[in-house]
Amino acid sequence: MKGLCILGATGSIGANTLDVVARHPDKFRVVALTGNCRTQTLLQQCLAHRPDYAVLVEPKAAQELSRQLKAAGLATEVLVGPQALAEVAVLPEVDCVMAAIVGAAGLLPTLAAARAGKRILLANKEALVISGPIFMDSLRASNAELLPIDSEHNAIFQCLPANFRAGTKASSVRRILLTASGGPFLTTPLERLTEVTPEQAVAHPRWEMGKKISVDSATMMNKGLEVIEASLLFSLPPEQIQVVIHPQSVIHSLVDYVDGSVLAQLGNPDMRIPIAYGLAWPERIESGASALDLFEVACLDFQPPDFERFPCLKLAFEAARLGGTAPVVLNAANEVAVAAFLERRIPFTAIAELIERTLNAFPVSQVTDLDSVLAADSEARRLASELALNFG
Ligand code: NAD
Ligand code: MG
């Protein structure tokens, strides 16, 4: 039995993880579940999976959860606050940590798990993007396994040799082809993009996901963050990563080898596939996803990305090339801009503008330690929030 801690259990990836886990009661035991403030969702998950610990960051919500769990006769201990996220991630009975908190908020508990040598199932790409070399160094130091859950990186991992480990350089790879659906605005006339609403932006044509990543898919910042993620996981410069728009989302990514062979991983767009792979690796288990019907798919289309339509993707490539604090600033400004767009304080097209202005205001410096990451993150957030406030 593998002991599991799910950081961000109440979100989309968290719920999909519990769906896979429930199919294999003989293989996994849920030790800890965490959420931010959604008491009812976490309560239902605790009733179904009976973890030893439940964490809510928000104190009032935690109090309420504790009361309801006691009333239901459960022995689950409720912990509260951001510190508790890291505490449950390093428990000795935890073997495997699903990192599924959204945004930089997931950094400290995910890093703690890496330092403690846990198997990390990494969905929380922002944590890796901002802490890059620090994160990869702590994995190496503790010998922790990292299995990418982001569907593209999981696909690439599956197409690399069986002995490949994240953070090392795969031999004989010419480049990685990172597929992208293009999101809901792939064909929207450019002049209409200023008017699109949060509802339209989160209505992703292929995947059902949390709001933030859905907006990131609409701007293609999601793919930008994934370029940085891929360059860290597979030790490749951004020039060796090609983004390919593939609207059907059936090929999840490809590896192009020096001999001209191109290996791809295909499947229905269902996150339970990479989650099941990460949970069971190096074995395979049933995920609940339906079998791919190629006759129904019928055709697969590909096109290059258009930087005019997707300026966020261009900004992310630049940040990837610059390195140092640039990805930290890019991510922080994006988190602030997406929140402002979702709250209808800025238009969709202002997301890229705000990120660009924040990046331009920061001279890139070296990332030396975690403190330098956290300082750049909060400084960039402060500036981006100010820009959002005075936008227009
Ligand atoms: P979501 O919004 O559905 O869930 C986010 C989770 O994080 C929730 O459990 C929430 O309570 C928790 N959370 C939010 N803020 C927090 C905070 N400050 N402190 C502690 N917990 C907090 O998001 P999601 O779609 O499940 O995505 C989670 C991560 O996985 C993101 O980094 C996303 O980019 C990545 N990812 C998601 C998908 C997908 O299909 N949903 C695919 C690939 C990668
Ligand atoms: Mg992805």
Side-chain angles (χ1 to χ4, degrees), residues 123 125 149-153 178-179 207 209 213 217 222-223 226 229 252 271:
K125 64 194 88 185
I149 298 304
D150 216 346
S151 57
E152 298 76 3
H153 306 73
L178 205 60
T179 54
W207 297 95
M209 311 179 285
I213 182 175
S217 300
N222 183 48
K223 211 49 54 181
E226 289 183 1
E229 182 185 11
H252 297 305
M271 286 307 292

Side-chain angles (χ1 to χ4, degrees), residues 333-362:
N334 182 54
E335 286 192 30
V336 169
V338 170
F341 167 68
L342 285 170
E343 289 163 17
R344 296 172 211 279
R345 289 188 279 118
I346 61 168
F348 182 74
T349 42
I351 297 175
E353 231 177 289
L354 218 126
I355 299 166
E356 186 168 17
R357 282 161 70 180
T358 309
L359 277 168
N360 288 342
F362 275 88

